[in-house]
Structures are given as structure tokens and as C-alpha cells.
Amino acid sequence: TASSTSGEQRNITMKMVNDEEWLPEKNRDMEAEDDGDTDSQDAESEDDEGQDAEEGQHDQGAVEDGHMAPDHTQARKNIWKVQDNDFDGDLPPFLGEWKLNVEGKDPIDFFRHLFPADLIDDIAYNTNLYALQKGKENLAVTGEEMQIFLGINLIMGYIRYPRARMYWSSEDGLRLGIIANALSVNRYEQILRYLHFVDNLTYQQANMDRLFKIRQFLSALQETFKAAADPEEFQSVDEQIIPFKVKVWVRAGTSGYTNRFEVYQGSASSGCISGLGMAGDVVMRLCDDIKHKNHKVFFDNFFCSIPLIEALKDQGIYGTGTCRVNRLKGANQKRKSQKQLKEMGRGACSVVSNNANITVTRWLDSSVVHMVSSCAGQSPEDVANRWVKKDKTMMMVQKPFSVALYNQHMGGVDLVDQCLGMYPHRRRNKRWYIRVFFHFLDVTIVNAWRLYLMSGLEKMRLLLFKASVARALINSGTLQQNRRGRPIETPQPERFGAGYHWPQLTKVKNANRCHDAACTRKTKYICMHCCVPLCPGCFANFHTA
């Protein structure tokens, strides 16, 4: 790590910058005495074209004016000092212990650990409740039936038809037996129509949570993701998009396991706004469970700022990221200019640090890159191969340790996106929260696959893993299929147990098929205890083992 002590030991002749010069603009205005110093972006106007290529991707990451920073994130009065080539780049030791908390050998075991049966039963309950509120009194979805529904949607992710009804087509070249034999098309569409995750009657007009309809489901996944495995030492924070408008902030390990996520609801709904800005607050919230274990977190220039790196370091978290020029402030005084780096040639770099052990590395590659880190600087340097178009040859370029470390561990979220993009569930639905649900169902599959690979079991491709989970979910349901494609329930303990098994006439507009296997008629009667359609004359046969 950068050390101000080691910097002081070096005999470096330099002009000490004023304590006020590195402060952010909004904090400088709040000082009682203003010496009129004009440390602004004008001094760095020559470097605008040399910013990291990623800087054009985001525009709203800068710290917003008008918000007071809390004590733990207030800018510190640092004096930036030049570091020579002997800069120490050793990483702080990892104090945590990585371990897997899942027991099982089959893919379905890892999926059920992240997506437990209690969560499936809760979805089935809220689906039935929503159907009742909408006038559908006899939907009666069971947990086993919901498992089949989930398995069918997983299959639809890697076997794609233009229209959903084609899976049940009478044409042999289209009909997919594993789906058509598990659930009828009408039953599938009924469940999809009434799929719900919360009781709407509990909604309060004063509730500002825009994710109210799916909050319980997301919170349950947060807990299972966290409990399944301890966080890896190297983590990355980046954004993820649910097609086509929903943005998700994600923290993932280098392996591609999603540890934390937060669905973006707008800057006004993010809670307390500190001096770190909206993007900085996102990083702090996503990292609140890995404090004081020397985890290393990486993020791009949308999130990165010197106050954020310092705030993370106060909590025992080491941050590294690309940074925009207008967020470097006082560090610009001691760094070599872009013109000087170009005179030195491609691969040249300039490193400065402050008394908080934060280092800023300016490196010349095809353009100028700025890296800010609390755990890495220039040494030990690495090399990179670059193609020289003018000479049509390859050249070796020196690469600082902070850049090499960033490139090695920043791709965790991108790896998750790559896996999700292979076999996504992209069925259209007018209800936005249904798209969010299926997205996180795919995230659960990817996380379960990552746990399976990390457990040391036999290697398996993601496609085979997803197919195995889908087949297990369908087979675990207690539904069978008669020749007409109608679902028939197999005997259940409550079906033959004591209870008020009496016929009740419903006020539904259309009659439903009787659930007795020996009956082919339709009825408006249901069993008061089992809540399934039954003809009055079929009660004895249906409730007899």
C-alpha cells in the first residue's frame, strides 16, 4: 500500500501544495477563510482527451452540490507526494475465510439452497390470493405445481420458440413433451396471468418503495445468496440491465457469483444522500457486509472518487478504480502532464500518494488512464502487448500494478452478464415485476452453478446444469397427465386426511373440469377443504385412497 511515511523518507524536492487545494469545490466554499485559490479543471483541460475510455459511458456520477457529507466521508486535508519506482504494491492480507455453506451433490440441491421450497410456497400462496382478489376463486395453485411452472420457464430459456403455445402444439415437429406432458397450456397461462409475490391489500399509499410488488422475493434472495457462501477476497461493483429499462447495481466476486444487488429506483429514492454522491452511496450500501476483513473492491469511473476510496478504507475495505480527471483535485498538482508522459513514450506513468495512503496513478496507454487505489500503485510493474499500427508490429508496454490488478478482478459482474445472456428468459410481459422475477430466477441458476463448480464436484456446463434443474423441478411436482393433457393430482395426505370435505357451489362464470381421474365432466362445485373442482358425485372416489 502507499505509505506517506516511506514518501517522507525519500529525499524528494518538491513544492508542498496548499491544504486547501485538493478539497472538492463544495467543501472549499464552506470554509470560513477562502484564499481565492483557483485549482479547477482549467489546469487539466489539456487532459480531457486522455481520459479513460470508460468515462463516456456515464454522466451522472459526479458528486452533487448541496449535500453535506457525513463525518466519515468528509474530504481530508491531504498533501499529495510523488512516489518513485520503488513504490510498494503489496496487497494487505485477507483476514476472512472463504467457505461454501451448501450441502449436496446434485444441481437441484444447490438451486434449492438458493431458491428454497418455502419461497416457492409463498409465491404460490400470493398467486392464489391475487387470483381471488381478481375474481378467480378456484385457481388453487400448489407448491408442487409452482415448481413445474418454474421448470417450464427454465426450459423456455434455452429452447426458444416464437410463441409460447408452440410448446404444446399438436404438430409433432413442434410439441415439446417435457413441457406439454407436465402442464396444460391453459393451466400454464393461468398461473402466469395471476403470478404474484405480495398481498396488494397491504399496500399503503404512503409507501414510497417502487419495488413493493417484488420486495419480499428480492429480500429472500438477498439472504440466501449471502448465506450460501462467504464473500471472496476480490469483489467488483458494476451495473446490470434487465431489458430494457430496469437497472440493477451488483456486487460480484471474481468467480462470477452475485453476492449483493440493488434495483435502482431513481436518485430520489436511494435514501440518504451523502457527500459521496448517489454512485458512491451505492458502493457503500453494497459493501456494508464485508467490513474490516481487508476485502478488495473494484469499480469503474462512474463510482470512483477519492472520498469514496477513503470512506471504504475507514471500514477496512480496499478500493481500486478508474477515475475521472475532475475528481482527482489536488493530485493533479504533482502528477506529470500528458505532454510529459507522451515525451517519455507509451507505458510511462506518474504516481502520487497522500497521507491517507491513497495513490493516484496516471498511465499512458493508447490514451491516458487514471487509477485511484488504497492498496496498489506502480510496483511491481507488469507488461502488456500492444499493436503499433504505424509500424505494424507488436511492442511491450510497461503496465502499473494497479492497472493489472484492476483488469484481473474487475470483470465479476461482466461474467455474470455473460452467463445470463447465454440462455435468458425473454418472454414479454406487460407487468414489469414479472420481468424482474424471471431475471433473478436466471441469476439464481447462475449462482447455483457457480456454487456447484466451487464445491469440487464433476465439472458441468451451464446448459446441462440448467436442464438438470428444470427436469428435477418438473419431476418433483406431484402432477401427472392423462391422455387429454389435463393435470390430475396424485394422492396427497391432506386429500385423504380429516377435514371439511364438503361440496361448495361457487359463483364462477365458467365451470371447471372435475379433478377426479374417473370423471370427464365440468362442474361449478369445489371441495371446501381441498379447494379443487369436484362433482358432488365424485367426492367419495376422490377422497378415498
Side-chain angles (χ1 to χ4, degrees), residues 60-64 72-73 237 249 262 270 272-288 297 299-309 311-312 315 327:
Q60 68 269 34
V63 176
E64 299 178 359
H72 70 280
T73 60
V237 175
W249 310 118
E262 177 183 311
S270 301
C272 179
I273 302 296
S274 69
L276 300 177
M278 182 274 295
D281 290 339
V282 168
V283 177
M284 296 301 293
R285 288 195 297 269
L286 291 179
C287 297
D288 60 5
V297 181
F299 31 79
D300 61 18
N301 58 60
F302 175 70
F303 303 94
C304 187
S305 66
I306 293 175
L308 173 61
I309 299 291
L312 289 173
Q315 297 185 359
R327 299 182 186 177

Side-chain angles (χ1 to χ4, degrees), residues 16 32 56 78 92 284 349 377 430 432 500 503 518 525:
M16 306 302 286
N78 298 314
M284 296 301 293
C349 70
K430 293 182 179 180
W432 63 269
Y500 294 96
Y525 283 89

Side-chain angles (χ1 to χ4, degrees), residues 173 190 267 289 344 348 380 462:
Q190 277 185 342
S267 58
D289 62 323
M344 298 172 62
L462 177 59

Side-chain angles (χ1 to χ4, degrees), residues 346-347 382-388 393-399:
R346 191 170 183 177
D382 196 2
V383 293
N385 293 323
R386 294 291 185 266
W387 173 255
V388 182
T393 183
M394 298 293 294
M395 68 175 296
M396 304 295 291
V397 175
Q398 293 294 323
K399 183 166 59 175

Side-chain angles (χ1 to χ4, degrees), residues 145 148 152 168 179-185 187-188 191 479 481:
E145 204 171 8
I148 296 176
I152 289 175
W168 288 269
I179 290 180
N181 295 332
L183 206 65
S184 68
V185 62
R187 186 61 173 172
Y188 171 83
I191 298 176
L479 293 180
Q481 208 69 18

Side-chain angles (χ1 to χ4, degrees), residues 278-512:
M278 182 274 295
D281 290 339
V282 168
V283 177
M284 296 301 293
R285 288 195 297 269
L286 291 179
C287 297
D288 60 5
D289 62 323
I290 55 174
K291 299 178 181 179
H292 305 295
K293 293 184 179 180
N294 288 358
H295 283 276
K296 289 79 179 176
V297 181
F298 302 83
F299 31 79
D300 61 18
N301 58 60
F302 175 70
F303 303 94
C304 187
S305 66
I306 293 175
L308 173 61
I309 299 291
E310 292 175 338
L312 289 173
K313 192 171 184 294
D314 289 342
Q315 297 185 359
I317 304 171
Y318 291 87
T320 301
T322 58
C323 193
R324 300 175 183 177
V325 175
N326 60 352
R327 299 182 186 177
L328 298 178
K329 300 303 176 183
N332 294 331
Q333 300 291 330
K334 291 299 177 181
R335 294 177 304 136
K336 294 179 181 179
S337 66
Q338 180 179 355
K339 182 178 179 181
Q340 291 175 314
L341 292 180
K342 287 184 177 180
E343 292 176 353
M344 298 172 62
R346 191 170 183 177
C349 70
S350 175
V351 181
V352 296
S353 66
N354 62 13
N355 57 356
N357 291 337
I358 308 298
T359 65
V360 177
T361 304
R362 174 181 251 178
W363 178 55
L364 178 63
D365 192 18
S366 58
S367 61
V368 174
V369 178
H370 300 92
M371 300 293 302
V372 180
S373 176
S374 58
C375 65
Q378 179 179 356
S379 300
E381 287 188 325
D382 196 2
V383 293
N385 293 323
R386 294 291 185 266
W387 173 255
V388 182
K389 185 177 181 180
K390 181 179 179 180
D391 300 333
K392 296 183 178 180
T393 183
M394 298 293 294
M395 68 175 296
M396 304 295 291
V397 175
Q398 293 294 323
K399 183 166 59 175
F401 178 62
S402 58
V403 176
L405 193 68
Y406 177 87
N407 291 338
Q408 182 179 1
H409 300 293
M410 179 56 195
V413 180
D414 293 333
L415 187 57
V416 176
D417 289 338
Q418 181 183 0
C419 294
L420 293 176
M422 292 181 178
Y423 318 106
H425 186 284
R426 294 285 172 83
R427 293 292 171 186
R428 294 183 179 180
N429 199 294
K430 293 182 179 180
R431 294 180 291 167
W432 63 269
Y433 56 90
I434 298 299
R435 297 197 300 272
V436 174
F437 168 75
F438 284 124
H439 171 82
F440 281 103
L441 177 62
D442 288 337
V443 172
T444 305
I445 288 290
V446 173
N447 267 8
W449 179 56
R450 290 298 178 187
L451 293 176
Y452 180 87
L453 295 179
M454 291 186 288
S455 66
L457 297 173
E458 183 180 358
K459 301 297 182 181
M460 180 181 295
R461 293 182 179 273
L462 177 59
L463 176 59
L464 298 179
F465 183 89
K466 193 170 186 178
S468 176
V469 172
R471 184 179 65 254
L473 287 173
I474 291 176
N475 293 338
S476 64
T478 58
L479 293 180
Q480 296 177 347
Q481 208 69 18
N482 66 359
R483 289 180 297 178
R484 301 183 63 180
R486 178 163 54 92
I488 302 298
E489 292 190 18
T490 56
Q492 293 288 317
E494 61 270 15
R495 176 175 166 182
F496 308 114
Y500 294 96
H501 298 286
W502 298 99
Q504 179 181 6
L505 181 63
T506 61
K507 297 181 180 180
V508 295
K509 182 178 180 180
N510 299 320
N512 292 274

